[in-house]
Amino acid sequence: MKNTKNMLWGGRFSQTPKANLLSYNSKENIVNDYRLIPYDIIGSIAHVKMLRHQNILTKKEAASIIKALEKLLKKYKKGQFSLNPSLEDVHMNIEVEVSKMTPHGKKMHTARSRNDQVILDMRLYMRDELISIALMILNLCTSLDLLKKINLPFISYTHTRVAQPITLAFWADSYKRAILRDLERIFNLHSRINQNPLGACAVAGTTWNINREYTAKLLGFQGVQDNAHDVSTNRGELESEFVYILSSIMIKLSRISEEFLFLSEKGIIEIPDAYCTGSSIMPQKKNADFLEIMRARASRTIGNLLSILTILKGLPSGFNSDTQEIKPLLFSSIDMTKESISLMSEVLPQIKINKEEVIYELEKGYACSTELADLLCKKGIPFREAHELTGKIVKECIQKEIYLSSLTSKELELKSGIKISDEELKIATNPDKSADARFDMAHIDLSAYKRAVFRLRKKSQLRI
Amino acid sequence: MKNTKNMLWGGRFSQTPKANLLSYNSKENIVNDYRLIPYDIIGSIAHVKMLRHQNILTKKEAASIIKALEKLLKKYKKGQFSLNPSLEDVHMNIEVEVSKMTPHGKKMHTARSRNDQVILDMRLYMRDELISIALMILNLCTSLDLLKKINLPFISYTHTRVAQPITLAFWADSYKRAILRDLERIFNLHSRINQNPLGACAVAGTTWNINREYTAKLLGFQGVQDNAHDVSTNRGELESEFVYILSSIMIKLSRISEEFLFLSEKGIIEIPDAYCTGSSIMPQKKNADFLEIMRARASRTIGNLLSILTILKGLPSGFNSDTQEIKPLLFSSIDMTKESISLMSEVLPQIKINKEEVIYELEKGYACSTELADLLCKKGIPFREAHELTGKIVKECIQKEIYLSSLTSKELELKSGIKISDEELKIATNPDKSADARFDMAHIDLSAYKRAVFRLRKKSQLRI
Amino acid sequence: MKNTKNMLWGGRFSQTPKANLLSYNSKENIVNDYRLIPYDIIGSIAHVKMLRHQNILTKKEAASIIKALEKLLKKYKKGQFSLNPSLEDVHMNIEVEVSKMTPHGKKMHTARSRNDQVILDMRLYMRDELISIALMILNLCTSLDLLKKINLPFISYTHTRVAQPITLAFWADSYKRAILRDLERIFNLHSRINQNPLGACAVAGTTWNINREYTAKLLGFQGVQDNAHDVSTNRGELESEFVYILSSIMIKLSRISEEFLFLSEKGIIEIPDAYCTGSSIMPQKKNADFLEIMRARASRTIGNLLSILTILKGLPSGFNSDTQEIKPLLFSSIDMTKESISLMSEVLPQIKINKEEVIYELEKGYACSTELADLLCKKGIPFREAHELTGKIVKECIQKEIYLSSLTSKELELKSGIKISDEELKIATNPDKSADARFDMAHIDLSAYKRAVFRLRKKSQLRI
Amino acid sequence: MKNTKNMLWGGRFSQTPKANLLSYNSKENIVNDYRLIPYDIIGSIAHVKMLRHQNILTKKEAASIIKALEKLLKKYKKGQFSLNPSLEDVHMNIEVEVSKMTPHGKKMHTARSRNDQVILDMRLYMRDELISIALMILNLCTSLDLLKKINLPFISYTHTRVAQPITLAFWADSYKRAILRDLERIFNLHSRINQNPLGACAVAGTTWNINREYTAKLLGFQGVQDNAHDVSTNRGELESEFVYILSSIMIKLSRISEEFLFLSEKGIIEIPDAYCTGSSIMPQKKNADFLEIMRARASRTIGNLLSILTILKGLPSGFNSDTQEIKPLLFSSIDMTKESISLMSEVLPQIKINKEEVIYELEKGYACSTELADLLCKKGIPFREAHELTGKIVKECIQKEIYLSSLTSKELELKSGIKISDEELKIATNPDKSADARFDMAHIDLSAYKRAVFRLRKKSQLRI
């Protein structure tokens, strides 16, 4: 069994930790820590440079530590650096590796704690992922823009019933605007994440003459998170906001998924075979499983958010190991969301819309009733009465099994006492035409958003 | 039983809705709708003014409707307007009331739907509540600032164990900064909420020549939410963000509560009798129930968030009645959060800190160990070795049942081989002094935040 | 302002609780407590009878208290007993009322605490509600049995795509069996709930010579929950199990709702007008809002469960006021579930199934493909090859726009090299016939379940 | 890229699924499926035996398939069988492997679907895990029984404040009884899980003359789950109940964790060094991280439950791929819970209780006040007055800084006008003695539970 001599904190202890205790604490964590390696190394380089800059380390000491760290980074990039679970976490693994290469390694932890270190790593990681997801959202918008170029009528539903004719462009635009709100949330969160936590040490800062602005500059942070107790206590808050935003994104994807399952079942849209799978027993089946899985992954992301919030609730102040368990929840949420956005962006422009079925659905759903009521209203009947009258007309049509588009202006005059031209009636009751009249949307140009993402990247640039 | 004649949509129906159906749909909803009454009236006034401005209503028609609406608003303010549950919701109640006062009431619903109406009401309501909560957060910060003025040592914990000496000011500052991040989230959300949804109608806009910029101006919105399908489909998204922010606030309050329960049990702080209650059986008890209830209300807020997200997940596009059920979840979260902030703001400055117990806790917890290790390190021992050495010293002290502050410089020299002056040692190991050395925090002035909240209010001003 | 003289615990205090503190703690709670009044009174009667039986109270004392309690119960039943919020809760309200009627009221709290009292009230309440929900589940099953008597083909879906023909009876039976599992869960929970907590006092029992078996017998409990610390600490555990079961029920109802929204939109089933509502703008609309609301209420129930579990997580042992907040979560979950079961039971037998559309959906969905593959397989082709071959046949049919039922035995022989009679082929590919061959289900008789519920009631009978 | 020829369902498709689609659907799932391998093989053996028994397969066919399956099982046990992600799942992997060994492999899927197959695998897996957790709970109870043998006073808290003196045995017994309720829940769930789903096929059963009782017997099921549509539709329901029970267990462990963190910080109990870790910066630290991590894992388990319920809510009937995503949620919950029970069972008997500190805490907390009030009450003062009087006495003691145990009978007489003997007073106010008087608990013998678990195992025995 390993003993606390390997540990960085053995002095006060008379027993070494038991293997199964370490396994309980760290077995899963060390796997999760793998993706933090580069951030931990970069953070350590910045820390050591600052210690040198402040004359806490000598030139020679700093140089040898940084050299060792850079070597380790290369090893990691080649896939040759694996973490030893008996050393608890990524931080101790790196310090021990560095100390093997240089005796000065023992000085690299001066004026910091694993507490501010892991918070730093997570900030750098989240910052990268925020930008990566921002770029993916732009991609998704580009896919939606491709749909917007297709000139086709489409169906709006309310209460899972046909509502009114819309256009495919209108539908696509609505999801674009919705997802752009999540992009704005990402911008908001970025400004909170991009603050330097390093130097908070355990929970209470340090009497060493450190320079937090200096590490902030090296690491591309916009500012310093001043209060150490705040840094430590609120580990997990930004992660929770991140997963909230991911939930918001996944909910939207789950809704497109639901709608596509529904519309493809009806033959209104078609998902390409390349994105479907079959049944092992029913030969006719062409299932779009990925839409169901995406829907379920929205649920998993929500569950992850919930776990994080439940972890944080009622914790006493200061650093608590409970927050370690937030890592896998964030990581899996990020992975699921990125894969979902990416797949949806790829599939969206390949969806086929069956125009004939769209029109049939609109006719069958009496989608132009509101247009008809509005037409009567414009001719002078109060809206509430026009609504009542049109309701009765629809009821009759259903009984006679005819569509609104077969109504003649004479019949309408008979029922309403109002003179309406054939032309007017046709525009109102023809699903293909009715939509056009309604839309004169402002187009949202993506380029402003692209520039904003670009600025985000620039703001977050390492200067190491 | 009521019949669909009272309803605004009876034309197409051959049966009237059953009483228990209406009760299932509306019984709870109509109670929730009560707080939307003023917003529904104001939104209706703006809508009618716009219809007039666009010549859709005559001057006379508009005037008579607005007069009726204003009358209703007065009635509501006097507590004389109650909602009739058989009329489904606040919108129909108001339209029916107006129609009793003027025959033109039947025209007020022209070019809108209950769908965009309820979304409008909720936006106006949320906007008000955002500002009200923003003001309460400023209050809470002011309470924390009062604590900051008290010059007392305090305890930081990590892992529910004494970590290092801090000051009460440092502790209070950490919560102030944390809660100000939530205030920033409120600012972020306000910009998303303060967009005009009116004119989206059911889900697909309208062919009426409406003017959405005009109603936006009247209602104090910063812009128009362009896409009607987006407006309708994403009802509930902003509510979810709101409750996320409330959860974030409540989690912080739950953590202060947990800490206060813990510290007051130990006699380190004291909650005034006026905020405690007793036990019906145990005569010695003085319980701070409110802290437990606040902790539980954090859980309820989180559960409400979860309910909202679960409601939204997997819904098809367009308007769905599921979102009606978001109302009570938002309302109860807002109520619980406001009451909690308010009570905490009141209690905070009345908390008594027992300095003697603070010092005792710090001594007993060997809180100055890090200072001691840092001192040794500054004298030339690599941090890792200084840490190990200090660990051993602490172990010995525990065995001998003495505190770090009783260590003499001679003993230390014996153990470490390092010469340290009595003065230096005293500063490092005296809990009352050690904290001072570490803090030189920037003070956050609240006035910038106050101005920002003021601007928010100005931005949201009604121009009716 | 009220003062602690009214309180039952003022001795140790030097300040009276502030009004807003009491409001924070009790304002909502006292409203929730209303439904506990009868249980609190009955529990108190049993407690006083036991105190008398053990000679702790004199005959006269006991009689006068019981008389007062019975008077109060009558008052409550007439709707004349309202709770005074300044007295914190139902328990203090009742004790104070009794003490107004008899000076011996001050003795009724001997050997109990509000802690075991509220747990007792909740047990009695939950026991009643469990039985009430059990009866409603039987009702729902009876409704499903009505559907089972209708001889109609129906559609099974997998992945929201037509799978195979089934019968309506088969569909109904599947939900009946599913909901009966929840009934079994209710039986399981009943045995855990029906244990006497009274006598646990605050958390640690009492030295009074009480008789817990005696109160258990009076109150219809099957046994005594022995350990007082367990009673107090685990308040909320049974509530969480209750809401878990309610979630399980609501999830099933939400799934029927989803399916009905989907099937009614397609015209396969029809929801009677009496259970639908219209749109204020779109005259053709007939929305089954209640199905959407039921779906959302499943989400709310799940959120309530989550709140409860989050409240309980990480609480220290003993009684904590956090658990007070579980009440509204349980109450609203029970109310929503009961109303949902009741409405669904009423609507289910009134659903109309459009046989023509069912057959059309099955044909269009090539629902008999599995039957065809099985037929080929029975003639000697390995299943995997029969599946492949049938898949190709379906693909051809789709391209030719014909249904499986139009296939001739000759064409099939040509493709498969297998001789199949016209009769066999017809049975396999005719959706109306194919289902019949597959089902020979055991019928579940409800009478055993009815007897079980009856036994439950008997077990829980008061003997006061 | 792989093509659908490898798939078991390619016939109907004109495009092969894209690599990233398969990756999205299956990459994580195939990893999760690894633990299902043995169950899938055993289930397949039973299925093939039944097909033989019913004369659907020849003796030779069945024998060759079974031989191949047994070979595969051996390979798996040696760790030599890995799953190919391009074959979607464990079921296809096994069928393809078998088919490589024998051409009859193509017949093994006759009369079943992957839908009933995965449900079967999960049932067999859950059945094993239920028993394994049941055994662990017995272990935990044995650990608690060890504590029960230690004759020591202990502290009960309410509202995180000292309540009354108890004994360590009483505390341990309370957790034993609580966890045994979860064991009963496991028994309840076992009866629902131990029903044969095989033969449900996709969702609608089969016309093959299968024998579900036969496979039930082979696989050790107590019965057959009759309705195929129920089997398929309600996949995930039993998993949700499983994770509910795990949440209930984890909540209890999280509460012990919270209490231990709190008590060890106060020095009342001590966690052995072997279960603690240190700080990288603060040399004095001895953190019981595992307690914090356990608390957090309770949150994660709750989040997993929530994800499952959210996945199921609102799904249409039949089989949906959403339920695939339940696997990792169940698996991680089972793993976390088993590891937590196991570690807690190990640590519990090693906890050291510091009797001196226990007594100090009880004295300081005036824990005997209720005893004192009861004593006065037994002498004839109504409880409410005795309570008031004792409250005042406590207040005085606090002001004078003395404990209740220093009260003399004279002083008491002076205050209460009641004559009490020194002996009586001593018993009432001495924390070490007061507890003993109160407890006369029935001891729960574990052997009945052990026999029940044994019966469970017997009931579930494979007969293959």
Side-chain angles (χ1 to χ4, degrees), chain D residues 379-393:
Chain D
K379 298 289 174 186
I381 307 183
F383 181 72
R384 202 41 75 211
E385 289 168 20
H387 182 286
E388 175 86 12
L389 182 60
T390 314
K392 283 183 183 152
I393 293 170

Side-chain angles (χ1 to χ4, degrees), chain A residues 231-278:
Chain A
V231 169
S232 241
T233 297
N234 292 300
R235 177 182 178 191
E237 176 189 328
L238 299 174
E239 284 89 334
S240 87
E241 187 173 0
F242 202 148
V243 181
Y244 167 73
I245 297 174
L246 298 177
S247 299
S248 180
I249 295 171
M250 287 302 291
I251 283 172
K252 276 158 201 143
L253 296 181
S254 81
R255 299 183 67 167
I256 299 183
S257 297
E258 172 85 359
E259 195 167 10
F260 279 7
L261 280 166
F262 177 71
L263 293 176
S264 60
E265 200 278 330
K266 299 180 85 165
I268 291 169
I269 68 165
E270 199 181 335
I271 319 281
D273 279 21
Y275 297 96
C276 293
T277 58

Side-chain angles (χ1 to χ4, degrees), chain A residues 50-58 61 110-111 208-210:
Chain A
M50 181 278 290
L51 291 178
R52 168 69 209 115
H53 184 259
Q54 300 296 98
N55 267 315
I56 297 169
L57 292 184
T58 66
E61 287 166 345
T110 310
W208 289 95
N209 176 31
I210 59 173

